[in-house]
């Protein structure tokens, strides 16, 4: 008889079983579905973080199964620290120390929620629910936006706005915000014009879902529908993001010849929409100024004042090279580093709110310390992908692509240290880590 003392302990490889938590996918999907109502989405995130902590404590005292493999725990925590530690260290030299430290401490709430999100995709059932649910949300928001293109009204936002007025007596958007809307708002509304970039970042879930269920025809239809909305609703940054998604997800499914046909169709659609839509025409014409203008002013106008903002970001990086001006301190530091003080800005009145580019945002707000930690996090994420098996890569591909295009450095970006965009990016990082390092499929923990 074999001596039990000689039996080796369970392996800690990626094949180690992990259970996940059967309710975790529902928390993640509720958080994303409530993005049109940011306050409720934040409440769901906080409650989910508390639920994760309670579940972990109860599981520990019961000696229950792990929610995640050791590798998934480690990678999720490392990616969070690569984001959060620069924020904390930058607080020491921030212009408003008290506010910076408070924000850093409050953002610790993300960590247990990221563990929850990673556990949501730790099993086959969890991945089906989470990735499939995200695909359904993307497609539902896409159809809603297409209805708004035709009728002028988003049914989903109309419902949210009606409910908001019934509860509080106030609409979601003010009259001034409605007047300033220059693109399709969809379910997020005319006072939160982020629909295009959100759909572009989440589109891998919809495209992979359609491609696996309906083959190349499903992928093409989904790409066409989402692409039209991105053109109407998106900034030019979201056009680049979606083009990257199409190139990466379509290459293996369609082959390069059909993929070139897809991009040709996209170019024709862009030309047609530029002819019929004043908003799209304006963005195309502004982009063309970068090639037709003689001097730097034309390039700056084409980039909506980005070169002026980037010059200020480089100034902040020179003045505060170690830990920057503080996360979310760009607005306060901008006047002292404005390369054209007193001149009218292309974006309107007031200082710039953030650097609009991930490398410059991290460098100006968190300094070289922050940039090195972000690069270390990216290296760890890449190393995990490089050493993962083919099956692990396949199940994590939608989350990997969504995260990669969101942080793609050769583009412009929303503020990564803002509540909304920071939360979206961290969520994608957790889904990537949890799905890549999920391990074998066990019985679901309840």
């Amino acid at each position: 008889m074999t001596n039990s003392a000689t039996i080796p302990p369970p392996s800690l490889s990626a094949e180690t079983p992990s259970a996940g938590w059967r309710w975790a996918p529902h928390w993640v999907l509720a958080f994303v579905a409530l993005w049109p109502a940011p306050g409720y989405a934040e409440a769901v995130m906080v409650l989910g973080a508390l639920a994760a902590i309670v579940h972990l404590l109860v599981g520990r005292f019961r000696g229950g199964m792990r929610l995640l493999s050791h590798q998934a725990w480690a990678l999720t925590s490392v990616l969070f620290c690569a984001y959060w530690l620069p924020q904390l260290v930058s607080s020491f030299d921030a212009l408003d120390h008290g506010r910076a430290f408070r924000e850093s401490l409050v953002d610790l709430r993300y960590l247990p929620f990221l563990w929850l999100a990673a556990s949501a995709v730790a099993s086959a059932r969890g991945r089906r629910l989470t990735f499939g649910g995200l695909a359904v949300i993307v497609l539902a928001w896409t159809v809603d936006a297409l209805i708004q293109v035709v009728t002028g009204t988003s049914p989903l936002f109309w419902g949210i706005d009606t409910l908001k007025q019934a509860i509080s007596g106030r609409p979601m958007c003010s009259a001034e915000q409605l007047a300033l809307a220059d693109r399709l708002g969809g379910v997020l509304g005319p006072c939160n014009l982020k629909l295009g970039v959100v759909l572009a970042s989440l589109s891998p879930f919809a495209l992979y879902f359609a491609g696996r269920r309906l083959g190349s025809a499903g992928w093409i239809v989904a790409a066409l529908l989402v692409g039209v909305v991105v053109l109407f609703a998106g900034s030019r940054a979201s056009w680049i993001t979606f083009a990257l998604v199409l190139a990466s997800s379509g290459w293996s499914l369609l082959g390069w010849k059909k993929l070139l046909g897809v991009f040709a169709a996209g170019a024709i659609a862009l030309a047609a929409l530029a002819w019929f839509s004043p908003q799209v025409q304006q963005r195309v014409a502004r982009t063309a100024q970068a090639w037709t203008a003689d001097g730097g002013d034309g390039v700056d106008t084409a980039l909506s004042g980005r070169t002026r903002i980037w010059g200020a970001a480089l100034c902040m990086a020179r003045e505060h090279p170690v830990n920057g001006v503080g996360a979310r301190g760009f607005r306060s530091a901008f006047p002292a580093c404005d390369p054209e003080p007193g001149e009218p800005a292309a974006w309107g009145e007031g200082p710039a709110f953030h650097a609009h580019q991930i490398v410059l945002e991290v460098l100006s707000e968190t300094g070289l310390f922050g940039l090195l930690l972000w690069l270390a996090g990216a290296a760890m994420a890449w190393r995990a992908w490089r050493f993962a098996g083919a099956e692990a890569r396949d199940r994590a591909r939608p989350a990997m692509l969504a995260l990669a295009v969101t942080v793609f450095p050769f583009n412009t970006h929303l503020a990564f240290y803002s509540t909304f965009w920071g939360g979206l990016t961290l969520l994608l990082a957790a889904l990537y880590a949890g799905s890549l390092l999920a391990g074998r499929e066990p019985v679901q923990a309840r």
Side-chain angles (χ1 to χ4, degrees), residues 19 21 28 70 221 279 325 349 353 362 369 379 422 437 440:
W21 181 26
V28 172
H70 290 313
V221 171
Q279 291 85 2
V325 298
E349 297 182 1
F353 290 170
V362 173
F369 176 81
L437 303 173
R440 291 196 187 109

Side-chain angles (χ1 to χ4, degrees), residues 207-208 210-212 214-224 245-265:
L207 296 188
Y208 277 107
R212 288 172 177 172
L214 303 172
S216 59
W219 184 94
I220 291 173
V221 171
L224 175 64
V245 173
L246 293 180
S248 181
S249 63
W251 181 269
S252 58
L253 182 64
L254 303 180
W256 68 271
K257 291 184 178 179
K258 290 183 179 180
L259 186 59
L260 287 178
V262 170
F263 276 102

Side-chain angles (χ1 to χ4, degrees), residues 243-337:
L244 292 172
V245 173
L246 293 180
S248 181
S249 63
W251 181 269
S252 58
L253 182 64
L254 303 180
W256 68 271
K257 291 184 178 179
K258 290 183 179 180
L259 186 59
L260 287 178
V262 170
F263 276 102
I268 295 172
L270 176 60
L273 291 177
W275 180 266
F276 291 106
S277 170
Q279 291 85 2
V280 177
Q281 184 181 44
Q282 182 182 19
R283 288 194 286 278
V284 171
R286 181 176 292 179
T287 303
Q289 291 181 7
W291 286 273
T292 59
D294 295 330
D297 291 341
V299 175
D300 188 60
T301 301
L303 296 174
S304 303
R306 298 291 193 271
T307 57
R308 180 172 175 179
I309 294 172
W310 295 339
L314 291 173
C315 166
M316 296 177 202
R318 288 193 303 270
E319 296 294 326
H320 305 269
V322 178
N323 59 349
V325 298
R328 302 302 289 151
F330 193 95
R331 181 189 315 191
S332 301
F334 180 81
C337 276

Side-chain angles (χ1 to χ4, degrees), residues 25-384:
H26 304 288
W27 283 108
V28 172
L29 295 177
F31 172 61
V32 175
L34 287 171
W35 281 347
Y40 293 103
E42 183 75 7
V44 166
M45 190 270 288
V46 172
L47 290 175
L50 293 174
I53 293 173
V54 171
H55 192 72
L56 288 170
L57 292 175
V58 171
R60 179 177 179 84
F61 286 113
R62 290 179 179 176
M65 297 174 66
R66 291 193 304 270
L67 291 179
L68 294 168
S69 68
H70 290 313
Q71 292 87 347
W73 278 113
L75 184 58
T76 303
S77 302
V78 163
L79 294 180
F80 170 78
C81 288
Y83 174 90
W84 181 76
L85 281 177
Q87 180 183 11
L88 176 65
V89 173
S90 72
S91 301
F92 290 95
D93 287 334
L95 298 178
D96 187 344
H97 299 279
R99 181 178 180 273
F101 278 114
R102 284 195 303 272
E103 291 292 332
S104 298
L105 292 177
V106 168
D107 282 354
L108 279 173
R109 71 196 189 280
Y110 284 117
L111 182 56
F113 186 76
L114 296 188
W115 291 335
L116 178 85
S119 71
V121 291
S123 67
R125 172 189 175 275
R127 286 189 294 277
R128 285 195 301 270
L129 286 175
T130 305
F131 289 174
L134 290 174
V136 169
I137 290 173
V138 169
L139 293 174
W141 288 357
T142 298
V143 172
D144 172 78
L146 291 173
I147 294 174
Q148 184 179 3
V149 170
V150 176
T151 66
T153 301
S154 161
L156 291 177
F157 180 76
W158 177 85
I160 295 171
D161 188 53
T162 302
L163 185 61
K164 173 73 161 50
Q165 293 190 53
I167 294 174
S168 66
R170 296 194 303 267
M172 293 286 291
C173 304
S174 66
E176 293 79 7
Q177 291 171 323
L178 292 173
L180 292 174
D182 63 347
R183 67 190 69 163
L184 193 69
V187 66
L188 299 181
C191 49
N192 188 16
L193 298 173
K194 301 183 180 76
L195 180 67
V197 67
V198 169
L199 287 183
S201 287
L202 297 183
S203 61
F205 298 103
L207 296 188
Y208 277 107
F209 178 83
R212 288 172 177 172
R213 290 295 184 93
L214 303 172
S216 59
W219 184 94
I220 291 173
V221 171
L224 175 64
L225 296 177
V226 176
V228 169
V229 173
V230 168
L231 287 177
F232 270 108
S235 60
R236 289 160 295 175
S238 65
W239 297 356
I240 295 174
T241 300
F242 190 63
L244 292 172
V245 173
L246 293 180
S248 181
S249 63
W251 181 269
S252 58
L253 182 64
L254 303 180
W256 68 271
K257 291 184 178 179
K258 290 183 179 180
L259 186 59
L260 287 178
V262 170
F263 276 102
I268 295 172
L270 176 60
L273 291 177
W275 180 266
F276 291 106
S277 170
Q279 291 85 2
V280 177
Q281 184 181 44
Q282 182 182 19
R283 288 194 286 278
V284 171
R286 181 176 292 179
T287 303
Q289 291 181 7
W291 286 273
T292 59
D294 295 330
D297 291 341
V299 175
D300 188 60
T301 301
L303 296 174
S304 303
R306 298 291 193 271
T307 57
R308 180 172 175 179
I309 294 172
W310 295 339
L314 291 173
C315 166
M316 296 177 202
R318 288 193 303 270
E319 296 294 326
H320 305 269
V322 178
N323 59 349
V325 298
R328 302 302 289 151
F330 193 95
R331 181 189 315 191
S332 301
F334 180 81
C337 276
D338 185 357
E340 301 175 22
E343 295 294 325
W347 59 85
E349 297 182 1
F353 290 170
H354 59 97
H356 291 273
Q357 205 281 328
I358 182 172
V359 176
L360 291 177
E361 178 186 351
V362 173
L363 194 59
S364 61
E365 296 188 8
T366 64
L368 287 172
F369 176 81
L371 184 60
L372 289 175
L373 276 186
W374 273 73
L375 290 174
M380 292 297 294
W382 168 246
R383 184 179 185 277

